Amino acid sequence: MLFNNQYAKTLKILLVNFKNPIFKTRLKINPPPFTYTQSHCYVNVYMKWKQEFYFDSIDLIHNSIHLKPIIAVKNVIIQEPSGSIPISAVSKRGLQFDIHVKVARFLRQYPSIFEEFTGPMYNLPWFRLTQEAVEIDRQERIVYEECREELRERLRRFILMSKDKVLPLKVVKGMEWYLGLPSDFLEHAEVSLDGSFRFVDMEEGLKGLAVESEGRKVFSTLQRNAMKKGVYSGEPMEAIEFPLFPSKGLRLRRKIEDWINEFQKVPYVSPYEDSSLLDPTSDIAEKRVVGFLHELLSLFVEHSAERRKLLCLKKYFGLPQKVHRAFERHPHMFYLSFKNKTCTAILKEAFQDKYAIEEHPLLKVRKKYIKLMKKSDAILKNGRSNNRFVDTGDLEKEKELDSNYEDEDIGVMA
């Protein structure tokens, strides 16, 4: 009985004080400390990988691994005054071009791009570009010239996402293909870069490329799209929902669906903002990692990349050790393709909503290269059918010529 009376008196005092405007003001000015606590409602999400034939059949993505060495050799040929090279000029540079077979054999796989002929000396094989390849190269150079500012802006955004707004030159060089930069971009820095970039010395004797934000706030692709829809005002710690594209026929457990709905309500931290104060085990930190991967793939030409290449960026972008799990925990945003004996991370939004992400200026040129690559299969097939009843003496002579040349080349190298 005594306890009930004391409880009633305490409740009465609280009610009286609550009506006091000063008490209400204090509540607003001094919110309880737990409101600043970064929540963590981690759910051990295990989603069965489901193959999607649409993403496994995108030629632009899965032929890129073959197109890259083709472009590398093409750049060597186009720089020669005669527009042609002997096989000796590239036969020992296979690793440099990421070619894992004999370079001559590789070039002969693409007769629609590389034309073989007998050279002026020693009857050695020479290679030059076909007329179609020369025309596409001309269009590629026009894109580099007219879209230099846009390419520079993509590089600027890439560096601004790093921890200290600076990256080693070897990292920038390794990402040139994905960012769509020409192979000699850093070699002609006086033309390619502007005053916001500067070369610096980094730890371990590395040379780095730093960039200044020039005092303006940089918004990510997600933020700009949310502003267009009127669901985001640009205030700090404001929530943005990720665009989700579930796989057809994929059913999730109830607790995972609930976790995804709660995760969408977590505040969004831009990859261009400082994240050093975030608890790495909190949901906000995980959402920032997912937002970083979304923004990174948005900057790339094919909106995809080999996963192992992205994992090499952890040190300079402040990513967690197990960042690869972000792709597995969010299959509604990313798709992992295992074609070509590698794991490729693909941003679904870029292919499901063509108006959400801006198209890279080099995209159309690479599509033309890939279309030209496919013509090689038909040329080789017709060549095999025409030579079915031809005497094999000429083929044996050609093999003997190549073997003699390789022996001669090995002796020169020794």
Side-chain angles (χ1 to χ4, degrees):
M1 189 70 178
L2 179 64
F3 175 79
N4 292 335
N5 292 336
Q6 188 174 0
Y7 176 79
K9 290 180 180 179
T10 304
L11 182 61
K12 185 176 181 180
I13 293 173
L14 289 174
L15 292 174
V16 172
N17 289 335
F18 186 76
K19 295 179 180 180
N20 189 345
I22 298 178
F23 182 78
K24 289 184 178 181
T25 305
R26 288 178 179 175
L27 282 177
K28 293 181 180 179
I29 295 177
N30 300 317
F34 65 84
T35 58
Y36 295 102
T37 305
Q38 298 178 29
S39 61
H40 177 64
C41 55
Y42 180 85
V43 175
N44 188 14
V45 176
Y46 173 74
M47 300 185 187
K48 183 179 179 181
W49 179 81
K50 180 177 176 59
Q51 184 178 12
E52 297 189 51
F53 295 101
Y54 169 73
F55 293 106
D56 285 335
S57 61
I58 300 177
D59 291 334
L60 177 65
I61 295 176
H62 303 294
N63 284 319
S64 179
I65 191 173
H66 307 296
L67 179 61
K68 185 178 179 180
I70 290 176
I71 298 297
V73 179
K74 183 267 300 181
N75 292 335
V76 174
I77 297 177
I78 208 70
Q79 291 174 1
E80 293 295 324
S82 62
S84 60
I85 58 172
I87 187 59
S88 59
V90 292
S91 61
K92 301 302 179 183
R93 299 168 64 181
L95 294 180
Q96 177 185 343
F97 299 136
D98 199 16
I99 298 175
H100 303 287
V101 297
K102 292 183 179 180
V103 178
R105 177 184 175 187
F106 176 82
L107 298 180
R108 287 166 182 157
Q109 291 177 353
Y110 303 99
S112 61
I113 300 177
F114 303 106
E115 182 181 349
E116 182 179 358
F117 64 99
T118 303
M121 297 177 62
Y122 308 113
N123 292 330
L124 298 180
W126 283 54
F127 290 90
R128 61 192 171 203
L129 298 181
T130 62
Q131 289 300 319
E132 293 177 280
V134 171
E135 175 60 24
I136 299 177
D137 175 78
R138 185 187 66 82
Q139 298 176 15
E140 182 182 7
R141 294 179 180 276
I142 292 176
V143 172
Y144 286 142
E145 185 67 25
E146 296 180 349
C147 303
R148 182 180 292 125
E149 178 58 34
E150 183 175 349
L151 298 176
R152 188 186 299 135
E153 177 63 22
R154 289 177 182 269
L155 177 60
R156 181 184 293 109
R157 287 176 171 271
F158 178 65
I159 299 177
L160 285 176
M161 286 192 291
S162 61
K163 289 192 300 183
D164 303 320
K165 317 303 180 188
V166 57
L167 288 176
L169 294 181
K170 64 177 184 179
V171 174
V172 178
K173 192 73 176 176
M175 291 289 119
E176 280 182 346
W177 174 258
Y178 295 116
L179 292 171
L181 305 178
S183 57
D184 58 349
F185 189 80
L186 294 178
E187 299 174 6
H188 302 86
E190 65 281 356
V191 179
S192 304
L193 306 177
D194 58 15
S196 62
F197 294 88
R198 54 188 176 87
F199 293 95
V200 298
D201 294 325
M202 301 182 65
E203 56 183 7
E204 302 177 359
L206 297 176
K207 292 289 184 179
L209 182 63
V211 65
E212 300 293 339
S213 59
E214 302 177 352
R216 60 186 180 92
K217 186 175 180 179
V218 181
F219 292 99
S220 66
T221 302
L222 279 172
Q223 289 174 316
R224 294 197 300 269
N225 290 341
M227 288 179 177
K228 293 178 182 178
K229 297 177 182 178
V231 297
Y232 180 72
S233 59
E235 296 296 328
M237 303 302 289
E238 189 175 353
I240 297 180
E241 294 187 0
F242 289 128
L244 304 180
F245 301 92
S247 303
K248 294 182 180 180
L250 181 63
R251 299 182 61 181
L252 304 178
R253 288 180 293 176
R254 182 61 180 270
K255 71 172 185 178
I256 297 180
E257 291 182 352
D258 295 340
W259 172 79
I260 292 177
N261 294 332
E262 292 299 323
F263 186 78
Q264 292 282 51
K265 301 176 184 178
V266 174
Y268 172 82
V269 179
S270 171
Y272 301 104
E273 298 177 6
D274 183 23
S275 62
S276 58
L277 300 179
L278 293 180
D279 180 6
T281 62
S282 64
D283 292 338
I284 297 180
E286 181 177 356
K287 190 165 186 176
R288 185 194 179 275
V289 171
V290 177
F292 166 82
L293 295 174
H294 182 281
E295 181 69 9
L296 184 65
L297 295 178
S298 298
L299 297 176
F300 290 169
V301 179
E302 293 104 4
H303 306 302
S304 63
E306 292 183 62
R307 187 175 63 173
R308 61 186 179 91
K309 296 292 183 65
L310 300 181
L311 300 182
C312 298
L313 304 176
K314 292 186 292 187
K315 176 180 178 181
Y316 301 102
F317 289 87
L319 301 176
Q321 186 65 23
K322 297 182 179 180
V323 63
H324 61 277
R325 290 189 176 180
F327 296 112
E328 302 167 4
R329 286 171 58 84
H330 300 274
H332 292 352
M333 296 181 60
F334 309 105
Y335 178 74
L336 296 179
S337 176
F338 296 93
K339 291 191 64 175
N340 297 324
K341 298 180 181 180
T342 185
C343 181
T344 304
I346 303 174
L347 181 63
K348 283 188 171 183
E349 184 182 13
F351 300 92
Q352 300 287 356
D353 186 359
K354 61 180 181 179
Y355 299 106
I357 300 178
E358 185 178 0
E359 182 181 291
H360 196 284
L362 201 64
L363 183 66
K364 294 181 179 179
V365 175
R366 288 194 181 175
K367 286 183 177 179
K368 292 181 179 180
Y369 274 122
I370 292 175
K371 185 177 180 181
L372 185 60
M373 283 173 53
K374 290 186 174 182
K375 290 185 177 180
S376 297
D377 297 334
I379 295 175
L380 294 175
K381 185 177 180 180
N382 293 334
R384 286 192 296 266
S385 61
N386 293 334
N387 294 332
R388 182 176 302 174
F389 302 103
V390 175
D391 186 8
T392 59
D394 295 337
L395 298 178
E396 295 297 333
K397 291 180 181 179
E398 182 180 354
K399 291 181 180 179
E400 183 180 358
L401 177 63
D402 290 343
S403 63
N404 292 338
Y405 168 71
E406 290 173 4
D407 295 338
E408 177 186 353
D409 195 19
I410 293 174
V412 173
M413 294 297 293

